[in-house]
Amino acid sequence: MPLQSDAAVSARDGELRAFLLRFIGLTLLSGVTIGMNKVLATLLGLHLHVSNFQLAAISSAETLAMALGTIPAGYILSRGNPKHLYAGVSLSLALAFCVLPWLPGWQWVALLMFLVGLCISLRIVAMSTVFLVRLPELGQGKAGWYKGTLILGMQFLGPLCGNYLIAQLGLKAGFLISALMFAMLAVLGWQVLPDNTAPPKQAGPAALPGAASLRELLRLPVVRVTYLFEILASFTASSVGVFSILLAIRVLHWPAHHSVWLMAVQGLSCVLVLLFLGRFVLASRHREQLYGGAHLAIMAALLILGLWPSSIAYLGASVLLGLGLGVNNLVNTDNIARAPVDKARVSAHLTLFGMVGGTAGALAAGRLADLTGLRNVFLIWLAPWLAAWLVFHGSRWLRRAPPAAIPSFDHTAESAP
């Protein structure tokens, strides 16, 4: 019996390792494809000679559709087969990217990018749901691997690949290669994803899900803080992501094939935090100071982008922004994981809020860039960050209160953070 038990445990561990490697590979390739497409869509907009606002509209159309499609995608997924759905929408995306470079005007590009976003929302919900279902078996130590790998593809490898393909083969060839990658993802998803997303049955009494309704959730200080800073982070990241290429070309006068490096440096910095600094940040007795310091780093990056237009300064700002966003996400994720809340409901809220914040950030940045100038947008973005920092960190830092590992979850405690 002990030998049989050891063999079963060993087989189970091997299956989990194999699943994790295949899933992370699928996630990385998916992120690379999304990152490539951001660069392709931006450069297609420039090829069509669009304004700042029109470029933001093309970029945000995809994000808006992802936000609108998140809740319906969850409903569809709960009644469908993740393997079939993922493969179907991946093939649909392959067809869409064969069509995109031949569209005559930016309005048609924005419309098709909206349809692309609806498809991608279903893919994201399918992958994130499967990962969350398997996470208790994989261990919380792997909780940052999915997002970290996705960001590595989206903000580092993907933009570099897209930039290289356009430089070597041209814009239309880049779109055709992206379509081929979506077809490959359809095949890989069929091999990796399961037939359903039903969680494994657990022995013993079921754990209470905790606060679930939005009103109940917002009574908890940790939820209010997490929601606010995740929305601000997505708002800022989308604005910088859309306009970092324009900053490099129009402000720094970099060649077009070098302009992607501002986005890539930011993405790589964020990934390094998510994949390698989780234990250092979350186990530190200075955790709250690191959290507040991360938000200061984001504000410093915005200040640099607005006031010091030089290559070294902008690369430094990209590093600061990536580090700040990475630490912000680590602490927020861990706080929610330890809070007495319905994890699925909070996860859905964060996904929706993040996408809405990203859409609003890109559109607002585009309009403000046309009205006030591109660099002034980043100075304007300092205002909400400074207000949030003073409310949630400033008073604590001024009092020099001892850092707490995590905000109190006692319902009888005062609700003010």
Side-chain angles (χ1 to χ4, degrees), residues 359-397:
T359 303
L363 288 175
R367 177 55 68 191
L368 288 171
D370 286 337
L371 295 175
T372 68
L374 188 56
R375 288 165 51 196
N376 290 330
V377 172
F378 304 106
L379 299 179
I380 295 172
W381 274 189
L382 277 172
W385 275 105
L386 183 59
W389 194 93
L390 290 174
V391 170
F392 292 104
H393 298 302
S395 58
R396 181 183 297 146
W397 282 34

Side-chain angles (χ1 to χ4, degrees), residues 349-363:
H349 287 163
L350 289 175
T351 301
L352 182 61
F353 294 163
M355 291 178 180
V356 171
T359 303
L363 288 175

Side-chain angles (χ1 to χ4, degrees), residues 76-396:
I76 294 170
L77 187 66
S78 66
R79 289 157 177 78
N81 186 313
K83 180 186 296 186
H84 295 167
L85 292 169
Y86 187 92
V89 297
S90 295
L91 291 176
S92 300
L93 288 167
L95 178 61
F97 275 80
C98 287
V99 174
L100 260 171
W102 280 270
L103 294 177
W106 74 269
Q107 300 94 333
W108 294 104
V109 174
L111 176 61
L112 191 53
M113 290 303 293
F114 183 86
L115 298 177
V116 165
L118 292 178
C119 292
I120 289 179
S121 67
L122 191 56
R123 282 161 37 99
I124 289 177
V125 171
M127 292 187 67
S128 62
T129 301
V130 170
F131 186 73
L132 287 174
V133 167
R134 300 300 299 268
L135 185 57
E137 303 169 88
L138 297 170
Q140 286 300 122
K142 306 294 191 299
W145 284 31
Y146 171 62
K147 184 162 187 177
T149 307
L150 190 63
I151 293 176
L152 177 63
M154 289 173 58
Q155 297 189 15
F156 185 72
L157 296 178
L160 291 181
C161 290
N163 188 64
Y164 177 81
L165 288 174
I166 294 170
Q168 299 298 318
L169 303 175
L171 188 61
K172 292 182 178 180
F175 275 100
L176 293 178
I177 292 174
S178 181
L180 178 61
M181 292 179 67
F182 275 121
M184 292 172 56
L185 283 169
V187 176
L188 291 175
W190 189 275
Q191 299 295 322
V192 173
L193 298 181
D195 292 322
N196 61 74
T197 57
K201 295 182 179 179
Q202 303 291 336
L208 294 175
S213 72
L214 184 60
R215 180 174 297 179
E216 290 175 332
L217 290 168
L218 292 178
R219 290 196 185 108
L220 298 175
V222 67
V223 173
R224 295 200 301 271
V225 174
T226 298
Y227 280 11
L228 174 64
F229 283 116
E230 281 294 309
I231 290 172
L232 283 176
S234 64
F235 198 86
T236 304
S238 69
S239 302
V240 177
V242 170
F243 292 106
S244 59
I245 292 177
L246 289 185
L247 281 172
I249 294 174
R250 296 179 180 176
V251 177
L252 300 179
H253 305 293
W254 288 5
H257 60 281
H258 290 162
S259 61
V260 75
W261 276 102
L262 285 182
M263 182 190 299
V265 167
Q266 176 199 328
L268 184 60
S269 301
C270 186
V271 167
L272 290 175
V273 172
L274 290 172
L275 294 183
F276 300 110
L277 294 184
R279 186 179 298 275
F280 169 79
V281 172
L282 299 178
S284 173
R285 63 190 183 93
H286 301 294
R287 166 184 169 135
E288 287 303 307
Q289 283 89 337
L290 290 172
Y291 189 45
H295 298 152
L296 285 177
I298 293 171
M299 287 190 282
L302 293 173
L303 192 65
I304 292 170
L305 291 172
L307 295 181
W308 289 284
S310 73
S311 297
I312 296 298
Y314 276 16
L315 287 170
S318 297
V319 172
L320 282 175
L321 187 61
L323 294 177
L325 292 173
V327 172
N328 177 73
N329 183 261
L330 274 177
V331 176
N332 289 339
T333 301
D334 188 66
N335 282 351
I336 290 298
R338 298 170 62 186
V341 296
D342 184 324
K343 303 300 189 294
R345 189 67 59 86
V346 172
S347 178
H349 287 163
L350 289 175
T351 301
L352 182 61
F353 294 163
M355 291 178 180
V356 171
T359 303
L363 288 175
R367 177 55 68 191
L368 288 171
D370 286 337
L371 295 175
T372 68
L374 188 56
R375 288 165 51 196
N376 290 330
V377 172
F378 304 106
L379 299 179
I380 295 172
W381 274 189
L382 277 172
W385 275 105
L386 183 59
W389 194 93
L390 290 174
V391 170
F392 292 104
H393 298 302
S395 58
R396 181 183 297 146

